[in-house]
């Protein structure tokens, strides 16, 4: 019999913006990250929906303004960017290797149609990359990307 994760204890305190309110007129819930899992915790029912799909520790997350979409990303040898439907807790799109070194920060547009990601610092003096994704399209490629060098700031 396969192992099934039924409950997650703790959360990743090192992610900036790692806890989000999902409370709206239909539910009283929060989203947070715990290692390589996302968790939607229903405060009224005291239940968890565990978002599983990352092989590496989640390094960044964001939630759309309407609280429908939860986006998670990680760093590691095989980084991923996953867009989840927060009501069903199911992945709706997965982008493999959004950046070769993974994602260190990201955000989602107010309308929820675009995601911006910043690659992890490769640590070898190479520039980081910022990318804009139109994730509702059929492509797994960014709409635009640009290198970000320290001297730009």
């Amino acid at each position: 019999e396969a192992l099934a994760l039924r409950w997650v204890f703790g959360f990743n305190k090192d992610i900036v913006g790692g806890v989000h309110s999902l409370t709206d007129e239909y539910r009283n819930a929060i989203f947070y990250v715990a290692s390589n899992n996302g968790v939607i915790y229903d405060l009224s029912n005291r239940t968890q929906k565990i978002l599983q799909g990352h092989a590496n520790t989640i390094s960044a997350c964001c939630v759309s303004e309407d609280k429908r979409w939860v986006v998670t990303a990680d760093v590691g040898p095989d980084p991923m960017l996953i867009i989840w439907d927060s009501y069903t807790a199911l992945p709706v799109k997965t982008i493999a290797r959004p950046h070769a070194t993974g994602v260190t920060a990201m955000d989602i547009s107010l309308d929820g149609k675009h995601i911006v990601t910043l690659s992890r610092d490769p640590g070898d003096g190479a520039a980081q990359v910022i990318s804009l994704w139109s994730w509702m399209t059929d492509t797994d490629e960014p709409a635009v990307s640009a290198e970000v060098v320290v001297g730009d700031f």
Side-chain angles (χ1 to χ4, degrees), residues 72-103:
T72 55
D74 64 57
V75 295
D78 50 355
M80 295 175 62
L81 175 75
I82 304 176
I83 299 96
W84 308 85
D85 182 321
S86 72
Y87 290 103
T88 64
L90 295 173
V92 294
K93 185 159 190 166
T94 301
I95 299 172
R97 294 184 59 82
H99 298 286
T101 55
V103 175

Side-chain angles (χ1 to χ4, degrees), residues 18-125:
V19 178
H20 295 270
S21 172
L22 296 178
T23 298
D24 59 19
E25 60 197 78
Y26 305 108
R27 64 180 169 189
N28 185 21
I30 61 171
F31 168 79
Y32 60 92
V33 172
S35 186
N36 62 332
N37 299 295
V39 179
I40 297 172
Y41 181 70
D42 186 308
L43 298 159
S44 300
N45 299 324
R46 297 184 179 173
T47 56
Q48 289 183 343
K49 292 181 182 177
I50 303 170
L51 311 181
Q52 296 179 278
H54 289 277
N56 307 301
T57 300
I58 295 172
S59 56
C61 65
C62 58
V63 173
S64 63
E65 184 76 16
D66 64 2
K67 302 173 195 252
R68 171 76 187 270
W69 310 114
V70 172
V71 187
T72 55
D74 64 57
V75 295
D78 50 355
M80 295 175 62
L81 175 75
I82 304 176
I83 299 96
W84 308 85
D85 182 321
S86 72
Y87 290 103
T88 64
L90 295 173
V92 294
K93 185 159 190 166
T94 301
I95 299 172
R97 294 184 59 82
H99 298 286
T101 55
V103 175
T104 193
M106 69 176 165
D107 207 352
I108 190 165
S109 63
L110 290 176
D111 64 6
K113 295 179 180 180
H114 307 283
I115 299 166
V116 64
T117 58
L118 178 65
S119 69
R120 179 180 180 194
D121 184 348
D124 60 2

Side-chain angles (χ1 to χ4, degrees), residues 136-152:
M136 292 183 173
T137 63
D138 290 336
T139 182
D140 286 346
E141 298 297 322
V144 65
S145 291
E147 287 189 352
V148 179
V149 292
V150 178
D152 289 347

